[in-house]
Amino acid sequence: MSEKGGKGFSLPTKTTPKSALKSTPASATARHDDNSARSKRGRKVQFGTEGLTDLGFNFSSLKSDGKFAIPVGKGDWAKGGKGEKVVNGGKAPVAKEAKSLELRVEQELPENVKCLMDCEAANILEGIQEQMVMLSQDSTIKLPESFHLGLQYAKTHSYYTNPQSVRRVLEALSKYGVSYSEICVIANTCPETVDEVFALVRSLEAKKSRLSEPLKDVLDELAKLKKST
Amino acid sequence: MFFHIVLERNMQLHPRHFGRNLRENLVSKLMKDVEGTCSGRHGFVVAITGIENVGKGLIRDGTGFVTFPVKYQCVVFRPFKGEILEAVVTMVNKMGFFAEAGPVQIFVSNHLIPDDMEFQSGDMPNYTTSDGSVKIQKDSEVRLKIIGTRVDATEIFCIGTIKDDFLGVINDPTTA
């Protein structure tokens, strides 16, 4: 009998022609051949990072006993807290779009990169601007346009008075598997409800059950730290 | 999103800059060359925060220029697919609207604007809901999600959407 792996996907095996799918034998085997052929090729299509529109899948290899291994949560290739993969070709387009909009910062940037919250960036850039005022006797050194735009953006979006305490509060989430970049997105968007967090950071939806309680506490703490404007 | 990152670059220095101020000259040349530029991998280099290491200079054959490998820390701004940003609207037309978040330009097509918002032309072109309660016009603040990025030689351009939960207008300039 075919087994259900992961979230209820079942594939007919070679040895057992009877499948859980209520389709005719001809179409069942045709579909099975297609699936096995696809997975045997072991095709790996990389997701474009430079704004390319190609979307791709990573297929796990189909094991001989017909069980399909669907990694849930963190796999060896997914560092950003990904959800489960979709195998069934029919459901692919919907899952494709959902996947493509998840934050994949850790995969796209080298290891030594540190995400900054807008309030932290505002502090750093203001410090540099003060230094530049002293150095501005040398008229050849001028701050570029993007610096002023970046500084203005960071200042208007820093809602917290003290970045260190915000960092400490959000660190509590990291033990639930929330990545650094997701923590920064939460800090930058300043959400008011837990639903807002899950709607904005889709990659956390897989851990919804575990995260709801701690997130509520964290959001209450953050609300206290907000600047009163 | 802002990032703090260590980058490396080979700086070429003309012999006229050698002397006591070699290091200062190298650093100011680095700042002139790098600050304000943008790359696909790292985004906009907004500011250099420090020099980590300057390697040994290598004299180039024939020209006398010396190449120094310099490791420096900098703050970069790079938009990501799936990221939520708050941007200020700069232009509205019937194809959609343009917005700016820091040094990054974002375009939101009218296909990615909720269906109940319609384009109204006029002196101040805008998108308005059928009951007139929500308006997107120049200088409105909008929360959007990045769905694609494109990198040019000097700038990064993004496509965004507001057709999702918790996205859309934050601040209406007419009521503020």
Side-chain angles (χ1 to χ4, degrees), chain B residues 4 22 26 30 42 46 52 54 62 85 88 113 136 153 166 175:
Chain B
H4 204 200
L22 174 69
L26 195 60
L30 176 74
H42 306 118
V46 173
E52 210 167 83
V54 181
L85 279 183
V88 176
I113 296 176
I136 299 178
F166 298 101
T175 56

Side-chain angles (χ1 to χ4, degrees), chain A residues 167-182:
Chain A
R167 177 71 64 187
R168 250 181 293 134
V169 168
L170 288 170
E171 226 110 76
L173 286 177
S174 56
K175 61 174 183 279
Y176 292 97
V178 182
S179 74
Y180 215 63
S181 57
E182 286 162 347

Side-chain angles (χ1 to χ4, degrees), chain A residues 66-135:
Chain A
K67 246 193 243 172
F68 193 91
I70 303 180
V72 177
K74 288 198 178 135
D76 55 1
W77 57 273
K79 289 189 207 153
K82 293 268 167 296
E84 67 276 9
K85 285 190 283 193
V86 179
V87 173
N88 195 338
K91 290 197 191 149
V94 174
K96 247 198 238 179
E97 279 179 37
K99 278 230 143 349
S100 71
L101 293 179
E102 289 176 1
L103 213 50
R104 293 148 66 100
V105 171
E106 268 81 16
Q107 292 155 289
E108 294 188 5
L109 281 178
E111 295 272 322
N112 61 345
V113 172
K114 183 175 172 241
C115 295
L116 290 176
M117 297 187 289
D118 288 344
C119 38
E120 289 173 331
N123 283 350
I124 295 177
L125 293 177
E126 273 171 356
I128 292 177
Q129 195 181 40
E130 281 160 20
Q131 280 184 349
M132 281 321 261
V133 168
M134 293 192 305
L135 295 172

Side-chain angles (χ1 to χ4, degrees), chain A residues 47 49-52 100-103 105 108-110 112-116 118 121 124-125 128 144 146-147 149-150 153-154 157 159 184-185 188-189 195-196 199-200 202, chain B residues 1-6 28 31-32 35-36 40-41 44-49 75 77-78 80-86 101-103 143 145-147 149 164-167:
Chain A
F47 203 98
T49 54
E50 302 272 316
L52 301 172
S100 71
L101 293 179
E102 289 176 1
L103 213 50
V105 171
E108 294 188 5
L109 281 178
N112 61 345
V113 172
K114 183 175 172 241
C115 295
L116 290 176
D118 288 344
I124 295 177
L125 293 177
I128 292 177
S146 55
F147 177 87
L149 292 170
Y153 175 80
H157 292 103
Y159 303 111
C184 281
V185 172
N188 289 344
T189 52
D195 286 332
E196 199 174 335
L200 296 176
R202 295 237 176 249
Chain B
M1 207 187 301
F2 287 100
F3 296 94
H4 204 200
I5 187 173
V6 175
S28 56
M31 288 173 68
K32 269 188 251 186
E35 271 185 358
R41 191 158 158 73
F44 279 95
V45 178
V46 173
I48 294 180
T49 50
V75 174
F77 185 76
R78 190 193 146 164
F80 270 92
K81 260 190 237 215
E83 189 184 340
I84 311 291
L85 279 183
E86 283 159 21
R143 186 193 259 178
K145 181 185 249 186
I146 308 277
I147 58 171
T149 57
D164 230 350
D165 293 336
F166 298 101
L167 299 178

